[in-house]
Amino acid sequence: MKKLSILGLFILALISFNSCETEDDVVFTTQEPEGFVFTNSTLDNYVLAAATSSNLGERFTWVSADFGAPTNVTYELQSSVSGDFTDATVVSSTTSNEIAMTIGQMMSVAMEAGLDADPDSPEPNTGSFSVRLRAYPGDTGSGTEAFSNVMVLNVELLESTGTGGGGIMPASWGVVGSGYNDWGGAGPDGQFYTTSTADVFVAYVTLIDGEIKFRENNEWVNDFGDDGADGTLDAGGANIAVTAGTYKITLDIAAGTYMMEDFSWGVVGSGYNDWGGAGPDGKFYYDYTTDTFKVGIRLVDGEIKFRQNNEWVTDFGDTGLDGTLDGGGDNIPVSAGHYQITLNFNDNTYSIESTDVWGVVGSGYNDWGGAGPDFALTQIQPDVYYGDIATLVDGEVKFRANNDWASDYGDTGADGTIDAGGDNIAVTAGLYRVRLDVANGTYQLNKIQ
């Protein structure tokens, strides 16, 4: 079986139909929409790894189904363990001409088919399942639907090892530069993490305009740049120009290459930012110990969804409100409060839990709460809270929980140690990466620009 670290998936071909089905007491008639053809990869053997579960597995594109009258068409990607689709499960749905799936979603289907990545488990780690596409006009089909041919996919689940989520551990490599940490003068390098492939590492970082390189152990003994700006690693090579944004960086030491791609997950909706009209989405941070993405956030009464890169290309809701992520699914109702939201692409689930959300407050940020909510920090490991990038002005700040003065920390002595109810912390205008370690009683305000 050919092994792949990034999936191509689900080959679906020209639609042909020869049956009818009953749904909600409506008898649907099959129809063959002219020109309804899928375009994607031609692979039929796939290796799935938990370490890359949040990666985009595949985008499926097709020519619109034509049911004979101008109308919107809904498309459902369905999976089946039995192969006859009596157990059909909707993997994702959309009204556009593409469906995106993460590797974690694909692993979830494989595990439903009885596969297991645990080497000590009696369950197999190789097997197969079936997929097809359903199309129908409008929101209900009005008695008309269409199905593609069935495709059988052969898959293998990679063994999970190590102590992190899916065997993931911090690597010795990091991101350094004016685009990240003022060449090491403003805190540690951006962390890379191990993957299921030896000598391939991944980092999730927010950059500013500037330049970066990759170096080992936060020192200038072993580093890579890119002399030709061609994606090739060069030992001691030229700085790499970057623009502000949130990225996933893949560093392949064995192949001598690297790749940077726009990559972020966020909370969007009337329950947070007026569906994007009142600022950027609530940013998720990566937690390698659980291989999940988390955000500490203040919500208001309303609805939310989760989307990638602050745009409506890849988004998840929850059709059925069962804690399962559904591509393009229904909005999720929320009540006002402070929460930690976790996205788990390994099993295609999410959780919204009421919790204390620590934030930055002060004349140096939001006029002590009079000019908007505090800058929220996310608990990325137990009692360790992180946030970037905070835009501060000349003034003073403190840390408090839940936008309230019931619990707060300052720094009496200006020694980097948090003190309950302590003195205000003086700051100067600039961009900061913020870290609050409640367990060890310390904090960092790393000014990167």
Side-chain angles (χ1 to χ4, degrees):
M1 178 178 290
K2 184 177 180 182
K3 296 192 174 184
L4 307 170
S5 59
I6 301 288
L7 291 179
L9 192 66
F10 303 158
I11 304 170
L12 299 176
L14 183 67
I15 300 298
S16 59
F17 315 99
N18 56 13
S19 64
C20 64
E21 297 186 8
T22 300
E23 181 177 300
D24 297 331
D25 298 324
V26 176
V27 177
F28 287 87
T29 59
T30 59
Q31 180 176 334
E32 185 171 350
E34 183 179 354
F36 188 20
V37 180
F38 287 84
T39 302
N40 48 17
S41 92
T42 58
L43 298 168
D44 58 3
N45 295 285
Y46 309 96
V47 173
L48 314 180
T52 56
S53 62
S54 60
N55 292 359
L56 179 67
E58 186 65 277
R59 292 190 197 279
F60 316 106
T61 61
W62 55 88
V63 176
S64 298
D66 183 3
F67 285 95
T71 183
N72 291 330
V73 178
T74 301
Y75 305 94
E76 291 181 350
L77 186 61
Q78 299 181 341
S79 66
S80 171
V81 174
S82 67
D84 61 8
F85 288 85
T86 57
D87 60 343
T89 298
V90 177
V91 178
S92 188
S93 63
T94 184
T95 57
S96 68
N97 289 77
E98 66 174 36
I99 290 180
M101 290 187 68
T102 66
I103 291 174
Q105 284 180 296
M106 298 166 186
M107 289 188 70
S108 179
V109 178
M111 288 186 284
E112 288 175 7
L115 306 190
D116 196 321
D118 185 350
D120 298 322
S121 171
E123 301 298 331
N125 72 323
T126 60
S128 64
F129 57 88
S130 301
V131 293
R132 71 179 182 186
L133 196 78
R134 178 192 181 209
Y136 53 89
D139 297 328
T140 63
S142 300
T144 302
E145 63 182 354
F147 292 93
S148 75
N149 59 305
V150 173
M151 191 69 185
V152 177
L153 303 175
N154 302 308
V155 297
E156 177 184 357
L157 297 188
L158 284 185
E159 174 184 343
S160 297
T161 59
T163 58
I168 300 168
M169 296 293 291
S172 58
W173 289 93
V175 180
V176 64
S178 59
Y180 186 77
N181 63 345
D182 192 24
W183 297 106
D189 298 352
Q191 183 68 60
F192 277 94
Y193 299 97
T194 60
T195 70
S196 59
T197 304
D199 294 323
V200 176
F201 309 101
V202 174
Y204 303 95
V205 293
T206 298
L207 304 178
I208 60 175
D209 291 341
E211 297 177 320
I212 62 169
K213 298 184 78 172
F214 313 117
R215 66 175 181 175
E216 197 167 20
N217 299 319
N218 285 264
E219 57 186 12
W220 292 108
V221 175
N222 192 15
D223 72 272
F224 289 109
D226 182 356
D227 287 335
D230 58 0
T232 300
L233 295 172
D234 299 294
N239 299 341
I240 302 165
V242 295
T243 56
T246 300
Y247 297 88
K248 174 186 174 184
I249 305 177
T250 303
L251 187 65
D252 190 333
I253 302 296
T257 60
Y258 71 96
M259 181 175 66
M260 294 182 58
E261 55 187 308
D262 292 331
F263 188 94
S264 67
W265 286 100
V267 178
V268 64
S270 59
Y272 180 68
N273 65 343
D274 191 25
W275 298 106
D281 299 352
K283 176 184 170 183
F284 284 87
Y285 295 86
Y286 181 64
D287 175 8
Y288 82 92
T289 65
T290 57
D291 191 28
T292 60
F293 289 84
K294 297 178 177 179
V295 62
I297 197 166
R298 178 191 187 188
L299 300 178
V300 299
D301 292 340
E303 298 177 320
I304 62 170
K305 298 184 80 171
F306 313 117
R307 65 177 180 175
Q308 195 171 36
N309 299 334
N310 284 266
E311 58 186 8
W312 291 108
V313 175
T314 302
D315 70 272
F316 291 105
D318 182 357
T319 301
L321 297 180
D322 57 359
T324 300
L325 295 170
D326 299 300
D330 292 346
N331 299 342
I332 302 167
V334 294
S335 300
H338 293 84
Y339 300 89
Q340 177 171 281
I341 304 177
T342 302
L343 301 182
N344 188 339
F345 294 111
N346 295 301
D347 59 10
N348 200 34
T349 61
Y350 73 96
S351 63
I352 303 177
E353 300 176 295
S354 181
T355 190
D356 288 334
V357 175
W358 287 90
V360 178
V361 63
S363 60
Y365 180 70
N366 63 344
D367 190 25
W368 299 106
D374 301 351
F375 180 79
L377 306 177
T378 292
Q379 186 172 211
I380 53 173
Q381 279 96 48
D383 293 324
V384 177
Y385 298 82
Y386 184 77
D388 67 2
I389 296 172
T391 301
L392 304 184
V393 299
D394 292 341
E396 297 177 321
V397 299
K398 298 185 79 171
F399 303 102
R400 67 175 180 175
N402 303 333
N403 291 263
D404 186 81
W405 290 109
S407 183
D408 71 271
Y409 290 114
D411 181 359
T412 302
D415 57 1
T417 301
I418 55 175
D419 301 291
D423 292 346
N424 299 341
I425 303 166
V427 295
T428 57
L431 304 179
Y432 289 78
R433 301 188 193 276
V434 184
R435 184 182 180 91
L436 176 65
D437 189 333
V438 176
N440 293 313
T442 61
Y443 71 94
Q444 295 177 23
L445 291 169
N446 292 318
K447 185 178 181 181
I448 61 175
Q449 189 180 73

